[in-house]
Amino acid sequence: MRIHAIQTGTVAIKAKQVHGQGSDSMRLINTMLDRTWTEPLPIYAWVIEHPEGLIVVDTGETARTAEPGYFPWWHPYYRSVREWVRPEEEIGPRLRAMGISPDDVRWVLLTHFHTDHAGGLHHFPKSEILVSRAEYQAASGFQGQIKGYLPQHWPAWFAPTLIDFAPQRLGPFSNSYTLTKAGDVHLIATPGHTVGHYSVVVQEDEHALFFAGDTSYNEQLMLEQSVDGVTSNIAAYRETARQILTYMQSTPTIYLPSHDPDSLQRLATRRAALPVNAE
């Protein structure tokens, strides 16, 4: 397999979104009231050239975010995010520059529906798009908009394959879904950042590539078991983080969050997060 990182622009968020503070009900409020911004962070999507077909993990962001009115004026969260995406940085043009047509992508694996992961959906009308049923239900309709999703911008043709995670164990993860016949690509239920968030584990040689979405914003935060500032369920977030750390301790794991500036280098060098069986 060949694995590629595709950067679709950058995003800056509040510092308290990275390191959450307060109770379940107060974390988002504390984030929105914060006056400190992160530096611009990459918005990564991933391409897996698999023998069974091309796989894209997340679709990155759209340049349409710069259009007046793209973000709902009434939703306070969108005052807490800044994005910079040029049209040529969207995933469709990025793929074509690599010699890949979006129409040739077999599977699009959407870790969750936040706009910086789902903004490029419109590039994949011919692909099978897999999302968790829990995430789809949470993100749909006006209730989804209240929660900060943007279902009003989903393509008219959008009809994803909904995944119900079975009690199929992969290491410490109790719920998973095996995508490939070869059994080397797995979708892992990792709720916490959102209710239906999942991650993608690709087994390669003696190690695993862990496409983490937003289970944390960088590797160090996962090692510290830090909780972000937008989760509405701290207990679920902590349990997912515990399972990921346990997996890292038992399997050489290249941990690849979507906004970690160091993910690109870790992918290139296949540097594992922890020595196996580390305490």
Side-chain angles (χ1 to χ4, degrees):
M1 287 180 287
R2 296 176 64 191
I3 317 289
H4 311 275
I6 294 181
Q7 184 173 344
T8 65
T10 55
V11 59
I13 55 178
K14 297 294 186 69
K16 287 183 181 176
Q17 180 168 337
V18 175
H19 297 273
Q21 295 183 13
S23 63
D24 283 355
S25 60
M26 288 300 297
R27 284 189 169 235
L28 184 56
I29 295 173
N30 290 337
T31 291
M32 292 187 293
L33 293 177
D34 190 8
R35 295 179 179 271
T36 305
W37 293 84
T38 67
E39 63 183 12
L41 304 172
I43 304 172
Y44 284 128
W46 313 91
V47 181
I48 303 165
E49 296 188 53
H50 192 278
E52 295 178 30
L54 285 167
I55 303 170
V56 165
V57 180
D58 284 339
T59 67
E61 189 55 284
T62 173
R64 289 191 60 204
T65 56
E67 296 176 4
Y70 186 84
F71 294 130
W73 63 267
W74 50 266
H75 201 293
Y77 173 73
Y78 289 105
R79 303 186 190 101
S80 299
V81 61
R82 298 170 178 170
E83 295 185 323
W84 300 270
V85 185
R86 300 190 304 271
E88 64 270 21
E89 291 180 310
E90 289 193 8
I91 192 167
R94 289 289 204 200
L95 286 172
R96 292 187 185 94
M98 296 167 56
I100 297 173
S101 169
D103 290 346
D104 292 334
V105 172
R106 179 176 180 181
W107 291 301
V108 173
L109 309 180
L110 201 65
T111 62
H112 62 298
F113 272 113
H114 284 165
T115 178
D116 52 335
H117 298 257
L121 279 172
H122 59 282
H123 291 288
F124 300 101
K126 296 185 178 181
S127 305
E128 182 181 7
I129 302 172
L130 284 74
V131 303
S132 80
R133 186 180 300 274
E135 185 74 359
Y136 182 75
Q137 292 174 342
S140 297
F142 185 63
Q143 288 299 314
Q145 293 184 52
I146 291 174
K147 296 171 186 173
Y149 298 103
L150 299 175
Q152 67 273 33
H153 296 312
W154 295 348
W157 49 258
F158 185 53
T161 298
L162 303 182
I163 300 301
D164 293 303
F165 287 97
Q168 177 179 323
R169 182 166 289 279
L170 181 72
F173 304 104
S174 57
N175 295 302
S176 68
Y177 176 92
T178 302
L179 180 70
T180 54
K181 291 181 180 178
D184 53 0
V185 179
H186 307 272
L187 283 55
I188 306 297
T190 50
H193 178 72
T194 66
V195 66
H197 189 289
Y198 71 75
S199 301
V200 179
V201 175
V202 176
Q203 293 172 317
E204 180 188 63
D205 299 326
E206 300 302 316
H207 57 259
L209 299 166
F210 198 103
F211 299 95
D214 285 352
T215 54
S216 69
Y217 293 110
N218 60 50
E219 182 184 78
Q220 187 59 38
L221 291 167
M222 179 55 63
L223 297 177
E224 295 171 359
Q225 300 284 275
S226 180
V227 180
D228 75 23
V230 294
T231 182
S232 61
N233 190 328
I234 294 175
Y237 195 108
R238 289 192 186 281
E239 176 58 18
T240 285
R242 184 196 66 78
Q243 291 175 352
I244 293 173
L245 188 62
T246 299
Y247 186 77
M248 289 176 174
Q249 291 169 338
S250 63
T251 303
T253 303
I254 294 84
Y255 181 69
L256 302 168
S258 296
H259 304 298
D260 188 343
D262 294 329
S263 285
L264 190 63
Q265 183 64 19
R266 285 200 301 277
L267 175 64
T269 60
R270 298 303 198 265
R271 182 180 65 76
L274 288 173
V276 173
N277 297 321
E279 294 298 324

